[in-house]
Amino acid sequence: MPDKPSPLPPTLPPFRERAPWLGGDLQTLRNIIVGGPPELPGGERLLLVMPDGDRLAARLDRPAAETNAPLIVLTHGLAGSESSRHGMATARYLVSQGWPVLRLNLRGAAPSRATSGGRYHAGKTEDLAASLRGLPAELVSRGVVLIGNSLGGNLVLKFMGEGGHELPVLAAVAVSTPIDLAASCARLMAPRNFVYHRYMLDEMKREALAPSAALTTAERAAIAGARTLYEFDDRFVAPHFGYRGAPDYYESNAAKNFLAGARLPTLILHALDDPWVPAESYTSIDWSTLPMIETALTQGGGHMGFHGVGSLTPWHDRATAHWLTQNGLGPQRMFETT
């Protein structure tokens, strides 16, 4: 098995950290320290109906001028939503470049709480498929590109590995993805990540215990009593979704186990100094055996950071736009003729 990453695809711009955001932790924390960009003005609210009656809230932003670009569907990470700073930055940049972007809030994520009693998990691809099927025909008429950030990347990669569910998906991009869920759980609980772990666990509990969540008294007690991410998954998430425990949940849903099934162009962007995801999750894979997947494994960038020299736009957003354009999925302005 390989012990070092392959070089960046030749079509992608290189990544170099921008001072003072040097090292994986500062790259990761930059958006919290400085803040992200302002929200796009306007935006359209869509409510996408799930088979059980739950409705997922999504926000759609369109470019100023109509283009023939496919719809970008962006999925957030653990305890995230359409308002996550990096998601807002991605939407703002891609819309400015001519793509329409729909930010999907999974079950239980903030804007979806009022209309859904259920909850998402790392591999609940049936909700992603149902959401895509519920989109208006005009939105998907030029196809769909999936982008998954962090845990949302695991969802997207699993979806792609399952064959695309007979939907008009053209390609996918996954950023800072914990493709080995068990390994990433262990890394996040490591002593050096105490602050990250405590913050994420508190956010997960707050999200899961929302008044609108359809939970039993025992489940609420399990959530409140969880002392670690593993206990949260083992005592609540796994049994709630019918898994035998956290190990079964992790193994059944880890994207690493679905990569070989990808049949459409897929780009994976990941920093090997990501403090939340062990580099070995990526360097242990022989990517040459996965012809539909291109990987850009950078030495720096942190978790959902990629704050590089030359632009205030995160590198992963610029790399995504570049890759999509190189694959014929970029926007072209639509002009009326007389």
Side-chain angles (χ1 to χ4, degrees):
M1 302 298 283
D3 59 4
K4 61 182 179 180
S6 56
L8 292 182
T11 58
L12 291 186
F15 172 74
R16 287 189 294 129
E17 293 176 327
R18 181 176 76 251
W21 314 111
L22 305 179
D25 291 307
L26 286 178
Q27 283 280 318
T28 300
L29 293 170
R30 187 264 180 194
N31 286 341
I32 296 175
I33 296 171
V34 175
E39 181 58 278
L40 286 160
E44 305 169 36
R45 174 64 72 209
L46 283 73
L47 291 175
L48 306 174
V49 182
M50 300 293 99
D52 62 1
D54 273 4
R55 292 179 295 164
L56 304 192
R59 176 184 169 120
L60 173 66
D61 292 282
R62 302 177 188 261
E66 185 180 359
T67 72
N68 67 346
L71 174 70
I72 303 288
V73 173
L74 177 63
T75 57
H76 58 79
L78 186 62
S81 72
E82 67 183 36
S83 298
S84 298
R85 292 178 178 89
H86 45 72
M88 289 172 59
T90 296
R92 174 172 283 274
Y93 178 70
L94 293 180
V95 168
S96 76
Q97 299 302 301
W99 280 276
V101 177
L102 182 134
R103 280 173 273 170
L104 178 65
N105 297 284
L106 303 175
R107 296 189 197 231
S112 290
R113 287 175 195 163
T115 56
S116 65
R119 180 175 172 78
Y120 65 91
H121 69 69
K124 197 169 173 57
T125 51
E126 59 267 32
D127 279 2
L128 179 55
S131 298
L132 296 178
R133 291 191 183 99
L135 292 174
E138 63 92 7
L139 273 183
V140 299
S141 62
R142 298 187 179 102
V144 173
V145 171
L146 301 177
I147 299 179
N149 287 340
S150 192
L151 196 71
N154 187 86
L155 185 73
V156 164
L157 291 176
K158 180 173 180 281
F159 179 94
M160 297 300 282
E162 291 170 343
H165 298 258
E166 298 183 353
L167 287 158
V169 175
L170 304 174
V173 180
V175 185
S176 295
T177 299
I179 59 174
D180 183 333
L181 296 173
S184 293
C185 176
R187 173 58 59 87
L188 195 57
M189 293 191 304
R192 64 93 59 204
N193 283 333
F194 173 81
V195 174
Y196 293 133
H197 180 221
R198 177 51 51 189
Y199 172 80
M200 288 305 304
L201 184 61
D202 288 347
E203 289 298 303
M204 290 159 56
K205 288 184 176 184
R206 185 177 299 112
E207 177 186 73
L209 290 171
S212 58
L215 301 171
T216 66
T217 300
E219 286 176 325
R220 289 187 177 275
I223 294 167
R227 296 165 297 176
T228 65
L229 173 58
Y230 181 88
E231 287 188 2
F232 183 95
D233 288 339
D234 192 56
R235 300 179 182 181
F236 166 58
V237 176
H240 183 78
F241 289 104
Y243 297 102
R244 294 187 299 274
D248 181 34
Y249 163 59
Y250 295 151
E251 190 64 17
S252 298
N253 292 285
K256 66 172 185 172
N257 297 327
F258 295 85
L259 298 175
R263 298 292 181 266
L264 294 168
T266 300
L267 176 66
I268 292 177
L269 304 172
H270 188 73
L272 296 177
D273 69 348
D274 186 325
W276 298 14
V277 179
E280 295 78 11
S281 297
Y282 285 86
T283 58
S284 63
I285 293 175
D286 185 355
W287 297 99
S288 68
T289 66
L290 303 170
M292 298 310 298
I293 298 178
E294 288 188 77
T295 57
L297 307 181
T298 61
Q299 294 300 322
H303 187 79
M304 294 305 308
F306 295 108
H307 305 292
V309 298
S311 176
L312 293 180
T313 299
W315 175 84
H316 67 87
D317 291 329
R318 292 182 284 123
T320 294
H322 188 86
W323 183 80
L324 290 175
T325 300
Q326 291 294 312
N327 279 274
L329 300 173
Q332 295 179 1
R333 303 294 174 182
M334 307 288 285
F335 297 97
E336 294 184 2
T337 57
T338 59

